[in-house]
Amino acid sequence: MKKLLMISTGGTIASTLTEDGLAPGIKPEDMLNYLNGVENICKIETHELLNIDSTNIQPEHWIEITGFIKRVYNDYDAFIITHGTDTMAYTSAALSYMIQNPDKPIILTGSQKPINMDTTDARKNLKDSIAYALSEDVAGIYVVFDGKAIIGTRARKTKTKSFDAFESINYPIAAFIDGKRIAKYVRNEKKGPVEFYENIYPNIFLLKLAPGMQPDVLDYIGDKYEGVVIESYGVGGLPFEDRRNFQEKLESLTAKGRIVVIASQVMREGSDMSIYEVGFKTMKNYNVLESLDMTIESAIVKLMWIMGQTKEFKEVKELFYKKINEDIIY
Ligand SMILES: NC(=O)C[C@H](N)C(=O)O
């Protein structure tokens, strides 16, 4: 029988109603009591690592989760991490960079309603996660939610309340899970030896452009942060019109050694800075990167992971465009 470890971190799935609203409080062993018959299909142990709303998740928690999995990696066949949905896509991206080439499933799941409510998605999501973890030939970091397994670098929360809260962005859904029936659409290539990374540089700024914004915001950002992801418009580009010239600000930012990534506010299909003058000029004149088909979550966290190792533009660039856990295909 396979041996699973369920690691709980909090989130709605583990929440109860307090006088200040929903807050995590249910122990992982009590969550298991809602899954009738699970003991007949696997051995499952639990560990409470954190007990927080995922709004409170910080990069330091990703280091904690990674370090914990590293310590117990050889003792289990699969890991299920229960986590709040709000920042689950950041954590699934982070674990994708911090635990590379795992030969076992590491699955994040959670719910939109607490497990102890009459109407809840928590029990299904947990059961689906267990079924997917036990199925043959599954390895890697995934989000399992509402009957779908999504590659860890491709997940995004797209609904605040509905049960179908996650989508796979710019990549097919890895598998559909319906009870014991699992339809896998993405094959798992054989994984190499697992590698753990426990360094993260957390100070990345995400700037969302809007017409009217003053470019001197980049002076402030450049003083405080060594990396910035700019969510620009459409396929990507920065304003260079005289009144508010963002492009010329890149001169001083990159001269200071700051790493700049241009991404898009549009969720699907990614950037292509070569198409329009606003993008082409940015890439031609400055040492900046573009996020291509990566999700915003992955682009930010990938930069944190890279800058935990190096801040040299050439090395950052090479790692940024390297495919890790299917995060980039262009
Ligand atoms: N559905 C949820 O889990 C939302 C909750 N605020 C969290 O992310 O922890």
Side-chain angles (χ1 to χ4, degrees):
M1 222 183 229
K2 284 192 178 164
K3 200 168 153 198
L4 269 58
L5 180 64
M6 182 172 130
I7 303 166
S8 68
T9 69
T12 296
I13 190 166
S15 288
T16 52
L17 200 53
T18 71
E19 51 183 41
D20 294 329
L22 287 172
I26 304 176
K27 298 275 165 213
E29 54 274 22
D30 295 331
M31 285 199 246
L32 280 189
N33 290 336
Y34 291 94
L35 309 179
N36 290 337
V38 70
E39 62 287 351
N40 301 326
I41 54 170
C42 62
K43 275 197 196 147
I44 186 159
E45 291 176 12
T46 58
H47 179 81
E48 185 181 89
L49 190 62
L50 304 168
N51 193 17
I52 57 177
D53 189 292
S54 79
T55 293
N56 280 321
I57 285 276
Q58 300 294 331
E60 292 75 12
H61 293 122
W62 305 331
I63 298 171
E64 216 178 306
I65 298 171
T66 301
F68 178 71
I69 293 182
K70 184 179 173 184
R71 280 205 299 285
V72 298
Y73 190 76
N74 292 327
D75 303 337
Y76 298 92
D77 299 302
F79 301 89
I80 293 172
I81 304 168
T82 56
H83 193 288
T85 57
D86 291 343
T87 60
M88 192 186 290
Y90 285 94
T91 299
S92 68
L95 298 185
S96 300
Y97 298 114
M98 298 171 78
I99 309 175
Q100 291 187 29
N101 301 318
D103 54 355
K104 304 174 180 188
I106 300 173
I107 294 169
L108 285 128
T109 195
S111 66
Q112 294 284 61
K113 296 280 180 202
I115 199 162
N116 62 4
M117 283 192 175
D118 288 341
T119 305
T120 177
D121 51 336
R123 297 171 209 171
K124 172 182 164 50
N125 289 344
L126 260 185
K127 282 184 194 158
D128 285 352
S129 300
I130 293 169
Y132 193 54
L134 293 177
S135 72
E136 287 309 307
D137 296 328
V138 172
I141 319 291
Y142 297 88
V143 167
V144 167
F145 216 90
D146 193 46
K148 290 174 266 186
I150 299 169
I151 304 260
T153 54
R154 295 292 184 170
R156 170 163 260 212
K157 186 173 181 182
T158 57
K159 290 187 181 167
T160 58
K161 295 174 185 168
S162 304
F163 287 177
D164 59 336
F166 283 87
E167 287 183 51
S168 183
I169 305 301
N170 300 333
Y171 205 83
I173 285 167
F176 287 93
I177 306 156
D178 180 13
K180 281 189 204 128
R181 290 169 61 109
I182 300 178
K184 290 180 189 145
Y185 289 92
V186 175
R187 278 188 160 272
N188 246 292
E189 284 159 33
K190 249 204 159 349
K191 307 282 173 180
V194 60
E195 288 169 279
F196 292 92
Y197 294 85
E198 289 173 84
N199 271 353
I200 275 269
Y201 170 80
N203 298 332
I204 304 294
F205 195 90
L206 173 64
L207 177 69
K208 183 169 186 158
L209 281 192
M213 187 180 286
Q214 294 294 349
D216 60 7
V217 68
L218 286 177
D219 298 334
Y220 171 81
I221 294 168
D223 284 345
K224 296 261 178 196
Y225 296 83
E226 291 190 56
V228 53
V229 176
I230 304 179
E231 265 196 13
S232 69
Y233 314 113
V235 286
L238 290 184
F240 59 79
E241 204 253 2
D242 276 350
R243 252 170 303 197
R244 296 180 184 87
N245 189 335
F246 272 80
Q247 286 194 15
E248 69 180 14
K249 284 285 174 199
L250 295 180
E251 184 82 59
S252 52
L253 263 188
T254 52
K256 264 195 224 163
R258 302 297 179 251
I259 304 292
V260 180
V261 175
I262 315 289
S264 175
Q265 296 175 17
V266 181
M267 187 170 65
R268 293 187 192 282
E269 299 182 347
S271 72
D272 183 348
M273 302 278 287
S274 67
I275 296 181
Y276 296 99
E277 187 188 15
V278 284
F280 189 88
K281 278 184 161 172
T282 310
M283 296 306 279
K284 191 175 85 178
N285 297 331
Y286 307 99
N287 276 338
V288 296
L289 305 169
E290 61 174 312
S291 63
L292 299 173
D293 62 309
M294 281 188 269
T295 64
I296 279 289
E297 290 87 342
S298 289
I300 294 168
V301 176
K302 193 176 196 177
L303 201 54
M304 290 182 180
W305 168 70
I306 294 170
M307 291 180 77
Q309 305 169 68
T310 176
K311 294 191 177 116
E312 283 300 318
F313 181 75
K314 242 185 90 201
E315 292 169 6
V316 173
K317 181 175 180 179
E318 203 169 297
L319 281 171
F320 194 73
Y321 291 133
K322 184 180 163 203
K323 178 161 87 172
I324 298 169
N325 197 22
E326 307 302 319
D327 64 343
I328 189 165
I329 44 179
Y330 288 7

